Amino acid sequence: MLRLRTKRQGIAAAQTATTLAQIAASIGRLDDESLLDLADIFAHDAASPLQPLAAAEMTRRGLSL
């Protein structure tokens, strides 16, 4: 039982990491205007994982709100 649960948790963690990497890559492919829109939408939502991803991409590009 424990081995199955551990295996399931490992698979779920790998899927979560893959999804997060895909989201980060999608944010990186946005044009500047779309990135600014996304950052503006999530600027006041500190609980959202999209806010720090958008902020990091904006910093990388030298953009600000």
Side-chain angles (χ1 to χ4, degrees):
M1 252 346 206
L2 183 59
R3 276 189 249 147
L4 288 176
R5 184 173 8 144
T6 303
K7 184 176 179 179
R8 247 184 280 127
Q9 288 174 340
I11 291 169
Q15 290 171 340
T16 300
T18 300
T19 301
L20 186 57
Q22 290 171 342
I23 291 169
S26 296
I27 290 173
R29 288 191 301 266
L30 292 174
D31 62 30
D32 288 349
E33 282 295 316
S34 297
L35 178 60
L36 288 169
D37 289 342
L38 180 71
D40 190 35
I41 290 167
F42 290 100
H44 303 293
D45 188 4
S48 173
L50 292 177
Q51 192 275 335
L53 290 172
E57 183 64 22
M58 287 176 49
T59 300
R60 188 185 74 74
R61 294 184 192 186
L63 301 173
S64 64
L65 287 175

